[in-house]
Amino acid sequence: MYNEDTLKLRAIVAAFAAALSVFPAVLPAQQSAAPYTVISRAGRQPLAARSINGQDMFALDDLARLFALKLKEDTLAGGLTVTAGTQTIVLSPQQPLASVAGRLISLPAAPVRDGRAWYVPIDFVSRALAPVSPVKIDLRKPSRLVIVGDVRMPRVAARVEPLGTVTRVTFDVAPPTPHTVTQEGSKVVVHFDADALDAADLKANTTTDTLQGLRVGDTPQSVTLDLGPRFATSRTSDQPAPAGSSRIVIDLISQAETPAPGTPAQPQPQTPQPNTPPEPPLLDLPNGGGLRPIVIDVGHGGDDPGARGAQGTLEKNVTLSVARKLKASIEARLGVRVLLTRDGDQTVGPDQRAALANNNKADLFISLHASASVRPAVAGAQVFYLSLAGYGSEAQASRGNPEALPVIGGGNRAIEIIPWEMAQERYLQESAAFAGAVEGALREHVPMNPRALQQGPFRVLVGTNMPAVLVEMGFLTNAQQEQQLAGENFQNALVQALTEGIVRYRAAAAAVSAVTR
Ligand SMILES: [Zn+2]
């Protein structure tokens, strides 16, 4: 049954057909396009697409087979009638229009006839077919999917952020879908309670030494994170997300900053083995004469360049340059020894860094870094102190079987024997106060990140037996900040701020100990 609109359309169609009298005799320019996939409870099947005059189209015969449509060509008027169940769609070969159950809708192009076959724009499915179909039809052009019926197929998008020693993988899932996250050997697998995943574009925008890649698998309902060689452990959390979606955050923590399960830090043997000479001390250990030194941990180095800016600025060079300046500044201002965990371009492990500080009974430990983000706009300094959230079970386990703090160079140096994993725990309050002082001083000299003061699971801080903070001085992935971080003026501002932060914290700590003594 046709209503008035349909009759009008048929009149238009008839007029055009009369004017043109024939369909184009020459075949329109066309080539095959990447096929779509039709997904229903019954399974999946390909649906061929063709690019005709620059427009992706489906063959109407294919749609008729899939959706049980009846096609009827009206040779007199030159129109085409498509019947879906009890509803009717009328197409015109010259018009990017269709009448769908009596309503006129627009299409991006007119249908095209090739011999006996008709082609319709891809959008015919969503604009004409879906409204009259008795089953739900969901056209997802970006992933080239046609989802038919009640199929649970959440869209999954991912982004990867290298955050120093943590690689953060964030999944946005729409609609929210129950899931589990498991680690299986060299993979972390996110399994969704769904029929399949719409994750055609899923791939890692960057790879790190803890993440080699992202892919759908090992089942159609799973996303697999292929882990990198330095992966140590992971931490998963569900976080707030825009309405209609859910967000899963998986932090992959590098061995550089966290203990690999089953390989706790080994204390140095008291007697060196003949074939394995002990590591030489990183620096001479002069007698401090009672004054405890401050240790500046120079982030990265050697074959670990850290973050890299677009202009080629390397984090390991920025940290060394600032550290040397900061050492001179602190020594001049406070008259205390300052030790650097490296004073050249060499690789230094996290335990060696903490051990240098413990070995020298350092008063304070400050680790220098520069950050990276996938979003170039992200900028500003951040100060971290240790979060033990990721270390709960290891810290618990180590209580029963304590590992001694390592002493560089071996020997008979008397140190307190406490569990390695618990070293920093005793100083968390002091470290929080130290971080606050450093953050406050930085704020007066350099731009700060909106999240300026945070806790983080940094391996290098775990074993330090004194107040310890980690400073991300800025973002090398921000063009302006890269220029700043590589330049003298900004480095001097950082040095002034960090020196003031240390001075303030020491003054406050001295005042507290004077009161409590
Ligand atoms: Zn770093």
Side-chain angles (χ1 to χ4, degrees), residues 164 300 315 369-370 472:
H300 308 276
E315 182 181 357
H369 288 260
E472 297 278 6

Side-chain angles (χ1 to χ4, degrees), residues 163-165 257 299-300 304-307 315-316 319 367-372 458 470-472:
L163 302 170
T165 52
E257 300 288 348
H300 308 276
D304 170 19
E315 182 181 357
K316 68 175 182 178
T319 57
S367 185
L368 299 182
H369 288 260
S371 235
F458 294 101
L470 186 146
V471 180
E472 297 278 6

Side-chain angles (χ1 to χ4, degrees), residues 400-426:
N401 181 23
E403 296 288 342
L405 289 168
V407 177
I408 286 181
N412 224 347
R413 205 166 277 112
I415 61 159
E416 217 178 339
I417 304 296
I418 58 160
W420 176 255
E421 302 302 343
M422 305 311 295
Q424 179 59 206
E425 190 189 59
R426 307 190 307 167

